[in-house]
Amino acid sequence: MSSQTAPVADSAPEPQTPDSRNGLRGHPWLTLVAVAIGVMMVALDGTIVAVANPAIQRDLGASLADVQWITNGYLLALAVALITAGKLGDRFGHRQTFLIGVVGFAAASAAIGLSGSVTLVIAFRVLQGLFGALLMPAALGLLRATFPAAKLNMAIGIWGAVIGASTAAGPIVGGLLVEHVSWQSVFFVNVPVGLLALVLGLVILVDHRAENAAKSFDLLGIALLSGAMFCLIWALIKAPEWGWGDTRTLAFLGCALIGFLLFVAWEGKAREPLLPLAMFRSVPLSAGTVLMVLMAFGFMGGLFFVTFYLQNVHGMSPVDSGLHLLPLTAMMIVSSPLAGAVITRVGPRIPLVTAMVLTAIAMFGMSSLEPGTGTAEMSLWFALLGLGLAPVMVGATEVIVGNAPLEHAGVAGGLQQAAMQVGGSLGTAVLGAVMASRVGSTLPEKWSAAQLPPLRGEDGERLRGAAEVGIAPPAPQGTPEPVAEAMTRAVHDSFISGMGLAFTIAGIVALIAAGVALFTKPGQNASGPSVHV
């Protein structure tokens, strides 16, 4: 084993077996359980809070902008800090970083539940994002250092299943808690989960550090990358509101581009760079990163519209809409570990290409959804989407983390998570713009064809804004029922037209991703763990 990849556990140069004081410590599969519980807390929080936002708005008297900041503050903090947090894990140890992330995330969650103002909620949501950024790359770094190459894919498969299940379960759990307890319970639920992850982490996890991990910090690199990521994500968040051609949007995108260029130039000179550019000489690692961006573009961007489709077009409650997404969740849970086993046996290339083709077929299928589409047909496309996404989540993660040297495992984990955040933000923004454009051009035609009274000025703008999320505004009192039905039909048909175009574009992106997957290969820097399996 070379000094470049040999892990060091608990400061001992060559530990061969788990700590003799505790047979649980360092066991790979128990390590997976410990990190999965922590990751579950962060993944669940990514979607569970959306259900609580209306209740928070009512209870705290928040404005729409305040409610948006509850989500955007968390997303910005998470995206900006991920790669830097991964570097912290590489420098100080992934065990310590993971445990600090768990404690901080649970404490910030409790603070949100105790907050009496929306300002405090937003502030603690930002803290949640920062601690979540510490936790996620450290979890991947621990798996990378603990599992041998032959079993790493299976471990990442289970890890991916936990993320998929937690993300999809968020609306169901959130709906039940808000409906039967309170919005505060959505955050308080993280406290016992965090305590469990902390106890398991203290008992089970072993610190793994590479001998040649960086001993100093690239402060200028951190500032440049953080600033560039902030400008990029902020531009993507605000573009639907400001407009893509707006001076503010272009200014933030321009600052992001300049920031990334300066970052690349500096990293080529830095003695111990934050993100070693030599990592990207690995074609598989670069392909895996691009693949993760494209996968998240279609998945998160597309799923954004599905929730509006189920709730506003079909009239489902948040809980019911979450239940209708169970085929997607169930398929991800089942197929993620299976994908890990298949990728271990045949390599990532064929499974990833096949998976992205299946994802494209599912996206094209969902582009055909109509207001009257039944549960059986929806379930078919949702299940096929889950079947396609699971191998990509597993395989692309292994390609990124497995092709990075062990001393950069945390940075690679942060890169993987950052790619997902950028792809998801890009997908939501771009597909949202596509949706808005199609609705803006289709709604007047549908409205006129139904021989409805023309809407002008502010009334027309409000109607178009509602139609972009599938909401048919209530008809004025005394409106004949056939006219009210025609209004609803015009709005829903316009929304369906926009959603169909968005899913078509997502399907094309998935096909491009299938081409990128041809350049992936198994991890080239994999080495056995310092403890036995």
Side-chain angles (χ1 to χ4, degrees), residues 307-316 466 469-472 488 492 495:
T307 54
F308 290 130
Y309 169 73
L310 294 174
Q311 293 183 31
N312 296 337
V313 176
H314 278 271
M316 298 180 189
V469 291
I471 297 176
T488 299
H492 286 173
F495 173 82

Side-chain angles (χ1 to χ4, degrees), residues 54 62 85 91 97 280 322 336 428 449 462 474:
R91 171 67 178 84
T97 308
F280 295 98
S336 289
T428 303
R462 280 197 296 269

Side-chain angles (χ1 to χ4, degrees), residues 16-265:
Q16 299 298 322
T17 61
D19 192 322
S20 59
R21 294 169 298 172
N22 187 345
L24 301 179
R25 184 174 292 277
H27 192 286
W29 294 108
L30 294 178
T31 296
L32 175 59
V33 172
V35 301
I37 291 174
V39 165
M40 176 182 68
M41 183 170 60
V42 180
L44 189 68
D45 220 65
T47 53
I48 195 174
V49 177
V51 180
N53 280 341
I56 296 174
Q57 184 178 23
R58 289 193 302 269
D59 193 27
L60 300 182
S63 66
L64 178 60
D66 291 333
V67 172
Q68 289 174 329
W69 262 107
I70 292 173
T71 298
N72 293 342
Y74 176 81
L75 174 63
L76 278 169
L78 187 66
V80 167
L82 276 166
I83 293 177
T84 301
K87 191 71 169 184
L88 288 171
D90 290 336
R91 171 67 178 84
F92 294 109
H94 299 300
R95 177 179 184 267
Q96 289 89 328
T97 308
F98 178 82
L99 294 178
I100 291 171
V102 165
V103 172
F105 195 93
S109 299
I112 293 171
L114 296 172
S115 296
S117 72
V118 71
T119 303
L120 287 176
V121 171
I122 293 169
F124 288 122
R125 279 288 280 171
V126 171
L127 276 180
Q128 263 194 327
L130 293 174
F131 284 114
L134 284 176
L135 191 159
M136 296 292 276
L140 274 175
L142 286 164
L143 295 182
R144 167 75 169 82
T146 304
F147 279 86
K151 296 186 179 180
L152 181 60
N153 283 321
M154 178 63 76
I156 291 177
I158 297 172
W159 176 86
V162 170
I163 290 180
S166 302
T167 301
I172 302 174
V173 176
L176 291 172
L177 288 175
V178 171
E179 185 176 341
H180 297 291
V181 188
S182 66
W183 68 261
Q184 289 91 341
S185 64
V186 167
F187 298 98
F188 286 142
V189 74
N190 289 330
V191 176
V193 177
L195 286 174
L196 177 59
L198 174 63
V199 171
L200 291 177
L202 290 171
V203 172
I204 294 168
L205 299 181
V206 171
D207 191 25
H208 295 268
R209 305 187 203 185
E211 291 176 356
N212 53 344
K215 301 295 188 243
S216 63
F217 284 105
D218 177 14
L219 296 179
L220 181 57
I222 290 172
L224 289 172
L225 180 62
S226 299
M229 285 291 289
F230 176 88
C231 290
L232 174 62
I233 299 297
W234 184 247
L236 295 177
I237 288 173
K238 301 299 287 185
E241 175 187 341
W242 290 343
W244 285 94
D246 187 88
T247 304
R248 292 168 293 181
T249 303
L250 296 176
F252 274 101
L253 289 175
C255 288
L257 178 60
I258 293 170
F260 283 124
L261 290 175
L262 290 174
F263 173 74
V264 170

Side-chain angles (χ1 to χ4, degrees), residues 297-309:
F297 179 100
F299 174 44
M300 297 184 185
L303 210 58
F304 179 75
F305 299 114
V306 168
T307 54
F308 290 130
Y309 169 73

